[in-house]
């Protein structure tokens, strides 16, 4: 999760999100969320570290998208 913080802080500091693609970040949200759901389903509906990692990645991509939208 911490790897997203520099990008978010850079966006906030510059107040310019014109170089960031909402489509790309949206695809990453969907990819991570669908991977988390798939792993959760295959593990008999058990939360394990892989589900949590992918869910957190999806959440952080969503937060990044929100910051991008804020500065559009």
């Amino acid at each position: 999760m911490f790897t997203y913080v520099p990008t978010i802080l850079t966006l906030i500091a510059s107040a310019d999100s014109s170089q960031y693609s909402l489509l790309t970040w949206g695809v990453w949200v969907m990819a991570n969320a669908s991977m988390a759901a798939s792993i959760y389903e295959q593990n008999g509906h058990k939360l394990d570290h892989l589900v949590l990692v992918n869910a957190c990645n999806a959440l952080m991509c969503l937060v990044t998208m929100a910051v991008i939208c804020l500065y559009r």
Side-chain angles (χ1 to χ4, degrees):
M1 284 180 51
F2 298 111
T3 60
Y4 296 93
V5 174
T7 299
I8 293 168
L9 292 177
T10 299
L11 278 164
I12 292 169
S14 70
D16 178 20
S17 65
S18 62
Q19 296 180 20
Y20 294 87
S21 168
L22 280 173
L23 178 61
T24 299
W25 284 95
V27 168
W28 288 343
V29 169
M30 295 307 297
N32 282 296
S34 64
M35 181 60 80
S38 176
I39 294 169
Y40 179 75
E41 183 69 26
Q42 289 179 359
N43 284 342
H45 298 232
K46 294 179 187 174
L47 285 177
D48 66 6
H49 71 282
L50 289 176
V51 173
L52 294 175
V53 165
N54 282 282
C56 287
N57 279 330
L59 176 65
M60 292 306 292
C61 288
L62 196 59
V63 168
T64 304
M65 283 183 70
V67 175
I68 291 169
C69 288
L70 181 67
Y71 292 108
R72 287 271 162 109

